[in-house]
Amino acid sequence: MNVTIVLPSLDPDEKLNLVVDGLIEKGFKDIVIVNDGSHDDHLEPFEKAAQHKEVTVLTHEVNKGKGRGLKTAFQYVLENRPNSEGVITVDGDNQHTPKDILKCAERMIAEKDKVVLGCRDFDEPNVPPKSRFGNKTTSRVFRLFCGMKISDTQTGLRAIPRQYLELLIKTKGERFEYETEMFFALHKSKIEWVEEKIETVYIEENASTHFNPFLDSIKIYRIILKFIFKYTLSSLICCVLDIGLYSLLIALSQGSVNTGSMSLEVQMLAATIIARVLSSIVNYILNQKAVFQSNASMKKTVWKYYLLACVQAALAYGGVYLIALLFGPETIVAKFIAKPVVDVILFLGSYQIQQRWVFRG
């Protein structure tokens, strides 16, 4: 196979060359290592690796992050490896076995236009509890808020066909968050990925990792939750617009001589309908263009959006009415708690339906 191994590394120990030796034994002939600004005390593993004819070592003078290290290697492959069919990103802590790396490379060649993710099984007994919880939680958040099903969101073993490297070089992110941004870039460009089950290896409970559980997790979750934030902001904007338009229309109608014979009830109904229609149009445009960034045509989405709006309105009334029947119309639950609870549930449900059905694609 004519593929390139990409291995970013910061302050490595002897495990780096265990990885290199294993790769060479499996027949890999092109290994690009990126020294991401390692301290002088940790240069020996790079020097030893560079003695192999199969290895090229690229160097950042200062630490720039794993994301930048991957981009540096991708750019190098595009410029210097015209015959390489793609890259296999590998971590340098010996937690990816040569056998699994080879499996991912072979599958990438077979699939041709799909990215291959080497995914671990976090139900295995050797997985540290914090890693099991963190990875499973992130996987659920990805699926719930982003509509992407990935069983191992933090895998460093990824086989990427050459034709996608240019896109990934332009993808934002410099450090660990880049690996998350990579999923969004692939998803937005409608590039498919497949999962290859790999061995779950934790050496010294992952003590050698440079991943900061707090700071790097914040960066990753900030990327994921930006969708629900934009959705919430879109809803708030349209709520304010709805109230503002309603108030403006009532004020105009009260001061107009042409509506003198119109009852207040009719004026309120007309203002409510006009304000709701205009604010819903704005909400539709914001959700399509800014929140879900859908390329689907208006013809395919607008009827779904308004059908969902009608169903949601019916469920809002029905939910509150049902709770009032269960707890009694005069109870605190019916008067003050029912509507906020129903609205929150419908708000989150609407997000899922808009993401997966209304603005799909």
Side-chain angles (χ1 to χ4, degrees):
M1 292 180 296
N2 199 350
V3 299
T4 302
I5 299 295
V6 168
L7 201 163
S9 184
L10 172 65
D11 294 338
D13 54 22
E14 70 282 353
K15 289 192 285 291
L16 176 65
N17 279 283
L18 292 177
V19 175
V20 171
D21 292 342
L23 289 168
I24 293 174
E25 287 177 10
K26 280 294 180 182
F28 290 100
K29 301 184 183 301
D30 187 23
I31 303 169
V32 176
I33 299 175
V34 180
N35 171 9
D36 187 28
S38 297
H39 192 273
D40 291 346
D41 295 340
H42 294 269
L43 296 182
E44 184 180 350
F46 294 110
E47 295 168 355
K48 184 176 180 181
Q51 294 175 8
H52 297 283
K53 66 180 186 302
E54 296 88 351
V55 175
T56 301
V57 177
L58 309 178
T59 302
H60 290 165
E61 294 303 321
V62 296
N63 175 247
K64 297 183 179 181
K66 185 177 183 180
R68 176 47 56 185
L70 290 170
K71 292 178 186 180
T72 295
F74 295 167
Q75 189 66 51
Y76 180 85
V77 171
L78 287 181
E79 294 175 356
N80 298 277
R81 299 292 189 268
N83 297 320
S84 179
E85 297 185 61
V87 302
I88 319 295
T89 65
V90 177
D91 292 339
D93 52 10
N94 205 28
Q95 294 191 22
H96 298 144
T97 67
K99 177 182 69 175
D100 287 333
I101 297 168
L102 181 60
K103 281 198 308 181
C104 289
E106 289 173 338
R107 188 163 182 186
M108 181 190 74
I109 299 299
E111 297 281 357
K112 297 186 183 301
D113 58 350
K114 294 179 182 177
V115 173
V116 180
L117 306 177
C119 295
R120 297 161 290 183
D121 182 357
F122 295 105
D123 289 322
E124 293 185 3
N126 64 315
V127 178
K130 64 178 182 180
S131 296
R132 178 182 295 112
F133 175 79
N135 281 277
K136 285 196 168 188
T137 299
T138 305
S139 181
R140 293 188 184 102
V141 170
F142 253 92
R143 189 167 186 177
L144 182 63
F145 293 124
C146 309
M148 291 185 275
K149 186 178 179 181
I150 308 168
S151 61
D152 186 356
T153 60
Q154 296 177 28
T155 178
L157 178 52
R158 308 178 184 196
I160 306 167
R162 181 188 185 90
Q163 62 265 33
Y164 304 138
L165 295 184
E166 191 68 44
L167 168 70
L168 296 179
I169 290 170
K170 296 176 181 178
T171 299
K172 60 185 176 181
E174 299 296 303
R175 297 188 178 275
F176 284 105
E177 77 277 5
Y178 171 71
E179 292 181 303
T180 301
E181 291 283 9
M182 190 185 291
F183 287 125
F184 291 111
L186 296 174
H187 185 61
K188 186 175 181 181
S189 299
K190 299 181 181 179
I191 297 169
E192 295 183 49
W193 57 76
V194 292
E195 296 188 353
E196 181 72 33
K197 186 176 179 180
I198 63 173
E199 185 178 350
T200 307
V201 180
Y202 279 93
I203 300 173
E204 299 171 352
E205 292 204 349
N206 215 16
S208 63
T209 182
H210 294 281
F211 182 85
N212 185 306
F214 180 72
L215 295 177
D216 289 312
S217 292
I218 288 176
K219 292 178 182 178
I220 291 171
Y221 275 92
R222 183 179 62 192
I223 297 167
I224 298 171
L225 296 179
K226 69 181 179 182
F227 291 96
I228 196 70
F229 172 76
K230 288 194 291 185
Y231 177 70
T232 304
L233 184 60
S234 170
S235 300
L236 288 174
I237 289 172
C238 294
C239 178
V240 172
L241 179 62
D242 183 50
I243 295 171
L245 287 171
Y246 173 83
S247 302
L248 177 63
L249 290 168
I250 289 294
L252 291 174
S253 66
Q254 291 291 306
S256 174
V257 294
N258 296 325
T259 58
S261 61
M262 187 183 296
S263 67
L264 179 60
E265 290 79 5
V266 174
Q267 292 176 30
M268 291 172 62
L269 177 61
T272 298
I273 293 173
I274 294 171
R276 187 57 55 88
V277 169
L278 293 176
S279 63
S280 70
I281 292 173
V282 173
N283 183 249
Y284 167 82
I285 294 171
L286 286 175
N287 285 357
Q288 183 186 41
K289 301 299 182 183
V291 180
F292 300 107
Q293 301 177 2
S294 173
N295 293 321
S297 68
M298 183 177 179
K299 182 179 179 180
K300 292 182 178 180
T301 58
V302 70
W303 69 268
K304 295 179 182 178
Y305 174 85
Y306 281 102
L307 175 61
L308 175 62
C310 293
V311 173
Q312 189 173 352
L315 290 175
Y317 171 77
V320 173
Y321 181 76
L322 180 61
I323 292 174
L325 284 180
L326 291 174
F327 291 91
E330 299 301 321
T331 61
I332 293 176
V333 172
K335 288 183 176 180
F336 303 107
I337 299 177
K339 183 167 175 53
V341 169
V342 170
D343 284 349
V344 168
I345 293 172
L346 290 175
F347 176 80
L348 295 174
S350 177
Y351 175 88
Q352 291 293 314
I353 295 170
Q354 288 188 57
Q355 180 191 71
R356 298 168 187 269
W357 181 59
V358 177
F359 297 111
R360 182 180 178 183

